[in-house]
Amino acid sequence: MDSFGSDFSGSGTGKMDTGAIMEQVKVQIAVANAQELLQRMTDKCFKKCIGKPGNSLDNSELKCIAMCMDRYMDAWNTVSRAYNSRLQRERARM
């Protein structure tokens, strides 16, 4: 019955390791960023490709959505690489 105590960290203090908390925050931020990317991509590609929503998509709509999503992801990746490169340069100056 002792296995259901309130100490989840294993350190005996009842407090989580700061590194573990930081990792959890990083994961949560990454998930939020991925959700935002997906939502923006969906909104933009839907507005661009779907003229009249119906029960199904025709071939031209499917092709448009696929191409739109590919372009959006390519642009996102390009911007992300440039941003990360700039951050690394800025950190190196400090």
Side-chain angles (χ1 to χ4, degrees):
M1 296 264 179
D2 291 338
S3 64
F4 294 108
S6 62
D7 182 15
F8 294 106
S9 68
S11 65
T13 64
K15 295 182 182 177
M16 289 187 69
D17 179 27
T18 303
I21 293 171
M22 290 301 292
E23 281 304 311
Q24 286 179 347
V25 170
K26 287 179 184 179
V27 168
Q28 289 174 348
I29 290 171
V31 168
N33 285 337
Q35 288 173 333
E36 181 181 358
L37 169 64
L38 185 60
Q39 184 63 47
R40 284 185 180 186
M41 183 172 52
T42 301
D43 290 344
K44 288 184 182 295
C45 293
F46 184 87
K47 287 177 186 174
K48 176 179 174 40
C49 298
I50 310 300
K52 294 191 305 184
N55 292 334
S56 63
L57 301 174
D58 63 30
N59 287 337
S60 64
E61 291 171 330
L62 289 170
K63 185 176 180 179
C64 179
I65 288 173
M67 291 175 63
C68 178
M69 291 175 72
D70 286 345
R71 284 193 306 268
Y72 198 91
M73 289 301 297
D74 287 344
W76 179 271
N77 288 331
T78 300
V79 170
S80 293
R81 282 191 299 270
Y83 179 72
N84 287 332
S85 176
R86 184 171 181 180
L87 279 178
Q88 288 175 355
R89 285 194 310 267
E90 293 295 324
R91 287 181 182 154
R93 289 183 193 175
M94 292 180 176

